[in-house]
Amino acid sequence: MPLIAGVAVDNATVFFDKLYSYLIPPQLEPLVGAGSMVLVPFGRQSRARMGVVLSVSEGEAGRLKTLYDAAPESARLSPELLQLVHELRDKTFCTYYEAVKAVIPYGAQYRPAPGAAKLERRLSQRTEPVFARAERPAKLTPKQTAVWELLSEGELSLSELTERGATRSVIDTMCRNGALTRVRRERQARRAADEQTGGPLPPLTAAQRRAFDALAALQTEKPAAALLHGVTSSGKTLVFLHLIERTLGMGRQALVLVPEISLTPQMIGRLRAAFGSRVAVQHSALSHTERLDQWKEIQSGAADIVVGTRSAVFAPLENIGLIVIDEEQEHTYRSESA
């Protein structure tokens, strides 16, 4: 029997918010599953509209419309995030797609390609030019010679060349003259933590050890909550750094929430000093590209500690062993708007 997708469609008002059924064509069956981002015909004129598949089942095709296109499988939402989408809709009275947009970073969203029933990525396929030596001309200006020398050990991106003093006009001239070749590759946001490997944590005091032991005893298979209360500068942060270290040693992941973006850099610094590039960041002050690249690192398992504001609760962590809500009493953890 044919496969039928139940799709939450973008821009559906609350009065028309339901799962719309679409036939999955055979060529898209390997790409489409629960959590897939798809392009569907919607309305009387079957205009292309973005959607997310929330269910797949066998059924009769009947007069169902057929999916236009589907994003790669790597863009699929995890089962845990899909469950969260359903809970958000039930508890906050938002539409299916509003819940989906809250869960996925802006850069991971897709949109209809102009004039075609195809999907194009907004940011997840952003590319940058990369340059390499081709054939050395008989004569190079001093500035061109400097660029030639910069590429002596291999290709460099435009941003890497300009950081080293090259100008766009010089690079373009060398490309026109055949001295350089230009290709495009997917942009990878560089992280300050790439060269950090972390280091040993300072030892706990006797009072900190007592707090640590009490909290560590709660880390079992069953969820549990506790309040770590102490005056400013009493060493609470070091206690949960040791808890994070213990969590990673158990093969699990940690989520650290802070109440405001202004507090995030300080926390990132503490975490990266201890755990290096295992730390990823999620908050609205990041550019769309940076946020998506961080999301990818979490999704791939390259980062197993996430720090950010309340939106970081949507990070695609699959095996959370510890959630720290720093300054839990702050009102910024709660929102009264959709």
Side-chain angles (χ1 to χ4, degrees):
M1 295 184 71
L3 291 179
I4 309 299
V7 180
V9 180
D10 189 14
N11 283 334
T13 67
V14 68
F15 302 105
F16 298 99
D17 184 43
K18 64 178 184 178
L19 296 187
Y20 291 86
S21 296
Y22 290 92
L23 177 65
I24 304 175
Q27 70 272 17
L28 293 183
E29 286 184 4
L31 295 177
V32 178
S36 294
M37 300 182 195
V38 293
L39 195 66
V40 300
F42 194 78
R44 292 182 179 179
Q45 297 180 346
S46 294
R47 292 179 177 174
R49 190 174 289 190
M50 174 69 196
V52 173
V53 177
L54 297 186
S55 67
V56 175
S57 60
E58 293 183 344
E60 297 293 337
R63 300 176 61 184
L64 293 179
K65 295 179 180 180
T66 302
L67 292 179
Y68 282 148
D69 196 17
E73 188 175 355
S74 60
R76 188 179 297 180
L77 296 181
S78 68
E80 186 176 28
L81 289 177
L82 279 177
Q83 181 182 351
L84 189 57
V85 166
H86 286 284
E87 290 184 8
L88 283 173
R89 180 178 180 271
D90 292 341
K91 292 180 179 179
T92 69
F93 304 105
C94 66
T95 66
Y96 276 119
Y97 202 79
E98 284 173 338
V100 168
K101 286 197 290 187
V103 167
I104 59 177
Y106 182 90
Q109 297 177 38
Y110 289 66
R111 65 181 179 187
K118 285 287 182 182
L119 282 169
E120 65 175 12
R121 299 191 186 199
R122 281 183 173 159
L123 290 166
S124 51
Q125 279 188 340
R126 285 187 62 170
T127 59
E128 61 181 347
V130 177
F131 301 89
R133 287 180 174 185
E135 184 175 343
R136 184 184 178 107
K139 186 176 181 179
L140 290 173
T141 68
K143 290 183 179 180
Q144 291 173 345
T145 301
V147 172
W148 185 265
E149 294 301 323
L150 287 174
L151 295 168
S152 61
E153 297 183 1
E155 63 182 27
L156 291 173
S157 68
L158 177 61
S159 58
E160 290 167 335
L161 284 170
T162 54
E163 284 176 1
R164 290 164 171 79
T167 64
R168 183 68 178 264
S169 60
V170 171
I171 296 169
D172 289 342
T173 299
M174 295 180 72
C175 289
R176 287 196 299 269
N177 295 341
L180 302 181
T181 60
R182 184 200 324 245
V183 296
R184 300 194 73 84
R185 72 180 180 195
E186 185 171 351
R187 186 188 302 272
Q188 296 293 328
R190 287 167 293 165
R191 296 169 49 188
D194 284 345
E195 298 181 3
Q196 296 181 12
T197 57
L201 294 173
L204 297 171
T205 65
Q208 290 171 329
R209 173 59 62 180
R210 288 193 295 272
F212 170 84
D213 291 340
L215 293 169
L218 299 176
Q219 287 189 296
T220 63
E221 293 301 315
K222 294 183 178 181
L227 174 66
L228 178 60
H229 183 268
V231 298
T232 303
S233 301
S234 59
K236 299 184 295 294
T237 300
L238 184 58
V239 173
F240 68 67
L241 288 177
H242 277 266
L243 283 170
I244 292 172
E245 184 178 58
R246 181 180 188 272
T247 301
L248 300 183
M250 297 165 61
R252 305 188 74 179
Q253 300 161 319
L255 173 63
V256 180
L257 301 179
V258 294
E260 297 179 17
I261 293 175
S262 61
L263 300 178
T264 309
Q266 180 181 358
M267 185 61 70
I268 294 171
R270 293 291 300 271
L271 288 167
R272 284 184 170 165
F275 304 107
S277 57
R278 301 178 74 171
V279 180
V281 184
Q282 289 287 288
H283 59 71
S284 58
L286 296 175
S287 71
H288 298 318
T289 303
E290 290 171 330
R291 195 165 184 175
L292 177 60
D293 286 334
Q294 297 280 293
W295 174 278
K296 286 180 177 179
E297 293 199 8
I298 303 165
Q299 192 176 47
S300 68
D304 43 18
I305 304 169
V306 177
V307 58
T309 51
R310 68 184 181 211
S311 61
V313 299
F314 300 122
L317 294 168
E318 291 295 319
N319 188 22
I320 298 177
L322 177 69
I323 299 175
V324 177
I325 307 178
D326 194 29
E327 304 292 345
E328 184 273 341
Q329 75 281 357
E330 293 295 329
H331 72 280
T332 49
Y333 283 120
R334 295 152 187 84
S335 173
E336 296 181 359
S337 66

